[in-house]
Amino acid sequence: MSMNLIQFQPGLSMPEFLRKYGTESRCRRALYRARWPMGFRCPACGDRRRSSFRRGAQTIYQCRACQHQSTLISGTLLQDTKLPLTTWFMAIHLLTSTKTNMAALELKRHLGISYRAAWRSNMTRSCKR
Ligand SMILES: [Zn+2]
């Protein structure tokens, strides 16, 4: 019987995942690099110059050209979330590292979030296919 190489692709183990994305600041840095790989770019005008300030727990990025204010998650699927990024990153990891679909109830148990939030994140995955 031949070995299916697709099934044996290296994945990110849970210890590796936690080392890379185990804190809010690590998730924020990873998301920042993914969203703006060449550095900040204003979503309204494309200018790269910005200032930043804190509003509560959020960092607000303000474009120096047009004064548009954005956050790391504004305009993304995570825009209105109340969950920490660590929970989202863990959900994405769990959903993408399983060979079979993960039920919302299973996700709820793994992440300690509400069924509704788990269902929504599972729907987010389904919609991206
Ligand atoms: Zn701008």
Side-chain angles (χ1 to χ4, degrees):
M1 189 158 116
S2 67
M3 193 167 115
N4 183 340
L5 294 178
I6 300 292
Q7 292 179 325
F8 285 86
Q9 290 183 98
L12 195 59
S13 70
M14 192 54 79
E16 287 173 294
F17 172 82
L18 291 173
R19 217 174 7 261
K20 287 181 91 168
Y21 308 112
T23 66
E24 263 318 274
S25 62
R26 287 180 180 175
C27 291
R28 269 197 306 274
R29 275 196 298 273
L31 190 56
Y32 190 98
R33 283 193 304 267
R35 182 167 189 188
W36 296 307
M38 307 298 283
F40 175 81
R41 181 167 218 126
C42 173
C45 75
D47 201 274
R48 294 192 175 281
R49 296 166 297 151
R50 65 153 173 89
S51 58
S52 64
F53 58 93
R54 305 278 302 177
R55 184 184 297 148
Q58 290 270 25
T59 299
I60 310 292
Y61 300 100
Q62 182 165 323
C63 174
R64 290 199 175 165
C66 74
Q67 313 307 313
H68 178 79
Q69 293 183 350
S70 58
T71 68
L72 190 54
I73 59 172
S74 61
T76 73
L77 289 170
L78 307 178
Q79 180 169 303
D80 297 321
T81 189
K82 292 177 176 53
L83 296 174
L85 287 178
T86 49
T87 302
W88 275 105
F89 273 56
M90 182 71 76
I92 292 165
H93 178 64
L94 290 170
L95 290 171
T96 56
S97 63
T98 55
K99 191 173 155 191
T100 55
N101 272 344
M102 180 174 282
L105 274 173
E106 194 177 355
L107 200 56
K108 169 190 178 300
R109 282 192 294 271
H110 278 300
L111 300 176
I113 59 177
S114 72
Y115 176 76
R116 187 181 168 91
W119 188 83
R120 280 183 174 167
S121 62
N122 223 344
M123 286 307 291
T124 301
R125 179 188 189 201
S126 301
C127 292
K128 290 179 77 179
R129 283 188 180 156

